[in-house]
Amino acid sequence: MQPKRARLAYVEAQGELKVPFKDALPTREEQLSTLRNTEEFDVLVVGGGATGSGCALDAVTRNLKTALVERSDFSSGTSSRSTKLIHGGVRYLQKAIMKLDYEQYMMVKEALHERANLLEIAPHLSAPLPIMLPVYKWWQLPYYWAGIKMYDLVAGSQCLKSSYVLSKSKALEFFPMLKKDKLVGAIVYYDGQHNDARMNLAIALTAARHGAAIANYTEVVHLLKKPDPKTGQEKVCGARCRDVVTGQEFDIRAKCVINATGPFTDSLRKMDNQKTANICQPSAGVHIVIPGYYSPDNMGLLDPATSDGRVIFFLPWEKMTIAGTTDTPTEVTAHPIPMEDDINFILSEVRNYLSPDVEVRRGDVLAAWSGIRPLVTDPSSKDTQSICRNHIVNVSDSGLITIAGGKWTTYRSMAEETLDAAIKAHNLSAGPSRTVGLTLEGGKDWTPTLYIRLVQDYGLENEVAQHLAATYGGRSFEVAKMAQVTGKRWPIVGKRLVSEFPYIESEVQYAIKEYACTAIDVISRRTRLGFLNVQAADEALPRIVEIMGKELQWTEQKKKEELEAAKNFLYLEMGYKARSEQLSKTTEISLTPQEVARYKKRFYKFDKESKGFITTVDVQQVLERLSIHIDENALHEILNEVDLNKNGQVELDEFLQLMSAVQRGQISDSRLAILLKTAEEGLDLRGPVSVDRSGGGV
């Protein structure tokens, strides 16, 4: 069986491999110093996504002197914006069988092998997930059953768990939110799920521990070339790089340069040769996050045929529900934005599968993001228009190695193939790949019960301890040691960044050790708060910036810039803009006359002087009389969410627009709407309340 072989390979690899940085990793400054001062590397990898980090790990474990540069943060592109699945691809297998396509079949087989390996080498970050395929026509049951059984069969001994059929009643027991009408049964199969950005980071950090010099926020300005002594032809021999943080430029010399830049593949290829044809055909995939109550804790859902023929996954992830994805042609950009049409398409497909009792509301979308999938055409193929369903490894005339396409799951085998090609093309002295079974950062010493030790040894909350164990694995004790005392009876340590998520302040300090340079790195990739709930991330930002500022000696101006940049990231790239536009100045007020009268009455309980608007002072006065205390800053935030013209007050028409949007389900969990309703009920119970302003009012 593969897991046993993987373990043997791991033992063998660990026995021979040097791990220079077992304890503390070099700082980013030390890594940059190594990049600047090393005379020549064997391999320079450009791109710090899953594939680039995989290439660096593969190279360094073959005892090649390895460097990696990434112009933004590790996993800042496509690798952090996936469906979070480690899968062989059920739909690819279906196509392989229907079209008798051997290449597709082998692609699925390879992915299933890699799925087993990834679950083995990073058990803290990944786990098997049962996925339900609901069946609404009797004839589909044997058809889908045969397809899913074939998926198990292709996996062979690496099959996670055997798939099975459920009756209608059993399917509804497992997935009570499912639409009952016409349901005849369901098939459940198993795939893997992971925390993609943390997995990518684990690969990069493992490479660093083995001696690779890696640096984020280091961009390639241009490639270095020198003539080949034998042929006189220009050959790539390194890159001119710029430290994005300081602006300093320096050269990195290397025998071989690997282009692993995902959607930006062509921009590096054109640095090599301006006349080279584009091979990347970018496609945007949008995902949304909705509350956890939309799906069971441990059961996903697959819609195999949406209204436009795409596949939609509906999966529990980090105690939330993730739904996606779309597949639309797009321009290459470092900052893709989720569009409202895509968000609504996903919501409408989700509605098709859920019970009418479950109202799927636009306002329940807590975050949304778009990832660019780098589909490629093979430059060596005669038909350059046909998209390659797998990955391609290309060696240019000047010796630039390009790895493009493929999928998250197969990052390791893609890296192995890339290094094999690099070693052959550049006559490098290295043995075979040793990454099968090589445990990633945090995987060593992890056990399913590790979190109990964290609770017992440090006095962390149970939920926080589980989160730390599942994020940092065996390294979670380092995060726990840095946690501050709360001053409460329980928990003893671990101050949360926001009350409803288990992220704690010491994770921000630890993130800097993991090469986090900006507040965006922390909210989106070291923690996943920005991907889970944009409003919660927005609330956590000031404290995150404060902690980072202290650790990195930021000036007040730098702190302000970081806060602004992170808020802008949440607004544009994480769906806050799309969410906030649900309530705009042009929002229609579609309320009945009776509803308008009811909400006006509620509004005027706060606007006693009939000014036509309410301020924080008005709300505070009413709350004080009800013995409800809310922090003034929090109250300003609550009103600001509804204050469309940003004049510091909420007008009657703004309040009616809010209530109309709440009624239509475009907005949910509006804090002002809930606060005013609760206060109104309190006032009705207590009778008339005096509204004299202390000090004469304003």
Side-chain angles (χ1 to χ4, degrees), residues 5-26:
R5 280 208 303 276
R7 271 193 286 272
L8 284 171
Y10 162 72
V11 171
E12 190 184 326
Q14 287 296 90
E16 295 173 28
L17 289 174
K18 296 192 292 284
V19 186
F21 304 107
K22 269 184 183 167
D23 300 318
L25 282 163

Side-chain angles (χ1 to χ4, degrees), residues 107-409:
M107 189 174 89
V108 175
K109 193 167 177 63
E110 178 190 47
L112 289 170
H113 165 78
E114 292 301 322
R115 178 187 73 175
N117 182 60
L118 200 47
L119 289 165
E120 180 89 3
I121 63 175
H124 58 304
L125 291 169
S126 59
L129 176 74
I131 299 173
M132 181 184 286
L133 203 158
V135 181
Y136 287 91
K137 293 182 177 131
W138 278 109
W139 67 266
Q140 287 178 335
L141 204 56
Y143 172 74
Y144 285 137
W145 180 84
I148 294 294
K149 276 295 166 198
M150 181 66 78
Y151 193 59
D152 288 354
L153 207 62
V154 175
S157 63
Q158 295 160 337
C159 179
L160 301 178
K161 287 183 185 177
S162 193
S163 57
Y164 54 91
V165 177
L166 290 174
S167 65
K168 177 180 178 175
S169 60
K170 274 287 178 194
L172 291 168
E173 193 181 309
F174 280 116
F175 212 117
M177 311 84 181
L178 210 54
K179 187 166 76 178
K180 301 179 184 115
D181 295 352
K182 297 180 183 171
L183 182 71
V184 296
I187 297 159
V188 175
Y189 74 97
Y190 286 79
D191 252 329
Q193 188 179 46
H194 68 155
N195 184 338
D196 54 1
R198 291 292 321 180
M199 185 72 83
N200 190 157
L201 189 64
I203 300 162
L205 295 180
T206 308
R209 287 210 184 273
H210 283 84
I214 67 169
N216 53 354
Y217 295 100
T218 306
E219 69 175 339
V220 170
V221 180
H222 60 82
L223 295 171
L224 304 175
K225 290 189 177 181
K226 66 178 181 186
D228 185 307
K230 290 178 185 171
T231 63
Q233 191 181 7
E234 290 278 288
K235 293 285 182 183
V236 173
C237 63
R240 178 79 173 172
C241 294
R242 187 173 75 90
D243 178 355
V244 177
V245 178
T246 63
Q248 289 180 336
E249 290 193 8
F250 56 94
D251 289 344
I252 301 175
R253 302 265 167 193
K255 292 171 187 167
C256 164
V257 176
I258 293 173
N259 172 12
T261 53
F264 301 96
T265 294
D266 289 323
S267 58
L268 203 71
R269 278 164 52 82
K270 285 188 186 304
M271 275 188 199
D272 175 34
N273 177 3
Q274 197 58 46
K275 293 176 183 172
T276 195
N278 284 354
I279 60 167
C280 186
Q281 299 198 8
S283 167
V286 171
H287 292 84
I288 63 171
V289 167
I290 49 183
Y293 54 68
Y294 273 100
S295 65
D297 289 343
N298 194 34
M299 178 76 76
L301 187 76
L302 167 64
D303 176 356
T306 60
S307 53
D308 67 352
R310 291 183 281 204
V311 169
I312 288 271
F313 285 100
F314 189 68
L315 311 162
W317 184 68
E318 299 283 319
K319 300 197 174 166
M320 294 291 171
T321 301
I322 185 172
T325 179
T326 59
D327 186 4
T328 44
T330 185
E331 293 298 310
V332 174
T333 168
H335 308 286
I337 296 168
M339 305 310 287
E340 189 59 29
D341 286 352
D342 289 324
I343 292 169
N344 285 322
F345 165 76
I346 296 169
L347 285 172
S348 67
E349 292 302 327
V350 166
R351 282 188 196 104
N352 290 341
Y353 271 84
L354 295 190
S355 162
D357 302 343
V358 181
E359 188 187 351
V360 180
R361 304 176 297 183
R362 172 62 184 83
D364 282 338
V365 177
L366 304 172
W369 68 85
S370 175
I372 299 178
R373 193 161 161 244
L375 302 173
V376 288
T377 53
D378 190 342
S380 54
S381 164
K382 286 175 187 169
D383 179 10
T384 53
Q385 291 305 302
S386 66
I387 286 182
C388 178
R389 289 155 304 198
N390 211 330
H391 58 271
I392 59 148
V393 177
N394 175 254
V395 183
S396 76
D397 293 341
S398 63
L400 177 71
I401 312 281
T402 295
I403 169 68
K407 36 202 294 232
W408 221 123
T409 310

Side-chain angles (χ1 to χ4, degrees), residues 380-531:
S380 54
S381 164
K382 286 175 187 169
D383 179 10
T384 53
Q385 291 305 302
S386 66
I387 286 182
C388 178
R389 289 155 304 198
N390 211 330
H391 58 271
I392 59 148
V393 177
N394 175 254
V395 183
S396 76
D397 293 341
S398 63
L400 177 71
I401 312 281
T402 295
I403 169 68
K407 36 202 294 232
W408 221 123
T409 310
T410 56
Y411 84 89
R412 193 213 62 80
S413 57
M414 286 160 62
E416 180 181 339
E417 193 180 320
T418 306
L419 263 297
D420 286 346
I423 290 161
K424 186 180 174 187
H426 293 273
N427 295 315
L428 300 175
S429 174
S433 174
R434 296 147 101 181
T435 49
V436 170
L438 182 70
T439 306
L440 298 182
E441 175 85 351
K444 190 172 178 284
D445 302 326
W446 177 86
T447 66
T449 56
L450 180 138
Y451 76 94
I452 297 170
R453 278 181 56 205
L454 290 169
V455 175
Q456 292 174 337
D457 294 357
Y458 295 94
L460 287 159
E461 287 175 83
N462 198 37
E463 188 189 6
V464 169
Q466 285 178 321
H467 151 68
L468 293 182
T471 304
Y472 306 94
R475 300 265 167 199
S476 52
F477 293 99
E478 293 173 34
V479 186
K481 278 175 197 163
M482 297 166 82
Q484 283 186 309
V485 174
T486 62
K488 299 176 187 172
R489 184 183 62 78
W490 189 262
I492 298 164
V493 300
K495 290 183 181 174
R496 291 191 182 217
L497 289 165
V498 276
S499 58
E500 70 266 43
F501 287 92
Y503 301 113
I504 58 174
E505 291 184 357
S506 63
E507 290 183 75
V508 182
Q509 294 164 282
Y510 193 75
I512 294 165
K513 292 178 184 289
E514 296 181 319
Y515 307 124
C517 298
T518 70
I520 296 170
D521 298 344
V522 174
I523 55 168
S524 57
R525 294 174 285 273
R526 302 310 181 279
T527 73
R528 305 312 306 273
L529 197 49
F531 279 80

